[in-house]
Amino acid sequence: NIYLSKTLRYPLDAQIANQEGKVIIVFDLSEEGTILNPEIANPEDVHPSLAKEALRAVINYKELWDPYSIDGTAQISRTRLPVMFKLTD
């Protein structure tokens, strides 16, 4: 996702602690394509700063998503978004 690659900032404390990981954000996607009620699905698996940064980026996501639809009718859906944090060598 271009938005995430431009928006995410690797938290300094996670860098210093050499922490990487995949933060799973879950949220409801409205019929209009807006993100509702985002939350961390795996807080016990990732450094808290990584989780906080991923959530911040998703909360600030202002573009509309393509909503889930059945027979052409948009529906509210539960969505999972993995956000990867990887240190480079």
Side-chain angles (χ1 to χ4, degrees):
N1 186 305
I2 294 171
Y3 166 79
L4 288 177
S5 66
K6 290 182 179 181
T7 304
L8 284 173
R9 293 180 225 118
Y10 214 113
L12 184 58
D13 63 330
Q15 288 180 40
I16 292 169
N18 204 33
Q19 293 294 304
E20 300 178 326
K22 182 184 340 181
V23 179
I24 306 294
I25 307 285
V26 293
F27 55 89
D28 296 318
L29 189 60
S30 75
E31 296 99 329
E32 294 81 26
T34 57
I35 294 171
L36 306 171
N37 309 312
E39 59 188 10
I40 307 299
N42 63 333
E44 65 285 346
D45 296 335
V46 293
H47 190 277
S49 293
L50 299 179
K52 183 177 178 182
E53 176 60 11
L55 188 59
R56 180 201 65 81
V58 171
I59 287 171
N60 290 317
Y61 197 107
K62 301 301 178 204
E63 299 289 323
L64 294 178
W65 290 48
D66 291 329
Y68 177 74
S69 65
I70 298 175
D71 297 326
T73 302
Q75 307 286 319
I76 293 177
S77 62
R78 192 75 172 156
T79 303
R80 294 172 52 94
L81 175 67
V83 179
M84 288 296 301
F85 287 90
K86 177 93 172 109
L87 293 168
T88 57
D89 295 330

